[in-house]
Amino acid sequence: MREKYDGDPSDLGPEDLARGWVALWRDWFDAAVAAGAPEPNAMVLATVDADGAPSTRTVLCKGLDERGVEFYTNYGSDKARALAANPVAAVTFPWIAIHRQVHVRGSVSRVSADETAAYWAQRPRGSQLGAWASDQSHPVAGRAAMAQRFAEAEARFDGVDVPVPPQWGGFRIAPEAVEFWQGRENRVHNRVRVCAPDYTPVRLQP
């Protein structure tokens, strides 16, 4: 199986980051949305646990600005425990539909309680109840047990707003390096990377 990367007429270069990496990321994100890419805010998150074992999983980006990339999870999950042991991570936005990727890596910290609350208020009620019902990454007896936990959460918060669970919140990856990748013909791809502290763009060999 081999895909030809010859559909993008543009030619990514350092000059495309003149407005900063966030502006270019937003341009590419908008292009992915316009192309109908599934879940364009999905990103592959890589962490390393206390024993040095790496793990990846797909999560949803819920905020991105000059401060970094934001996502939310249960603080008891595998990813959160890994970040507690090693507060560094990398994410990849795999916009395969438009032959582009963006990679971000850096140190990780929790977002503020106010930021978590603001995002929580935007979540559908079902997702809020699911966060209360799920003891993420821990064993469960089966789907019936999960359904029971969800029903208990529904009953507990019947007729009232669902509060933020104490074990749930956000993380932000502060970008130390951001790389833009553009698929090109004959596997001679374009790669431009910026690194802290000055984020000067540099073209890399494919």
Side-chain angles (χ1 to χ4, degrees), residues 21 25 28-29 32 39-45 58-64 68-71 90-105 173 178-181:
W21 72 270
W25 182 93
W28 281 24
F29 175 80
E39 300 241 50
N41 64 319
M43 57 188 186
V44 180
L45 168 69
T58 301
V59 301
L60 296 179
C61 173
K62 291 300 180 179
L64 187 145
V69 180
E70 192 177 304
F71 64 94
V91 292
T92 293
F93 293 90
W95 295 319
I96 298 170
I98 58 172
H99 300 161
R100 293 175 179 176
Q101 300 181 73
V102 180
H103 314 286
V104 182
R105 61 177 169 83
I173 304 171
V178 183
E179 182 176 311
F180 291 81
W181 179 97

Side-chain angles (χ1 to χ4, degrees), residues 112-125:
S112 70
D114 288 343
E115 289 173 298
T116 290
Y119 169 65
W120 177 263
Q122 301 173 18
R123 300 192 92 204
R125 185 177 179 85

Side-chain angles (χ1 to χ4, degrees), residues 157-183:
F157 300 111
D158 184 35
V160 299
D161 290 339
V162 182
V164 181
Q167 76 281 9
W168 192 93
F171 288 99
R172 179 176 292 113
I173 304 171
E176 295 172 4
V178 183
E179 182 176 311
F180 291 81
W181 179 97
Q182 178 189 47

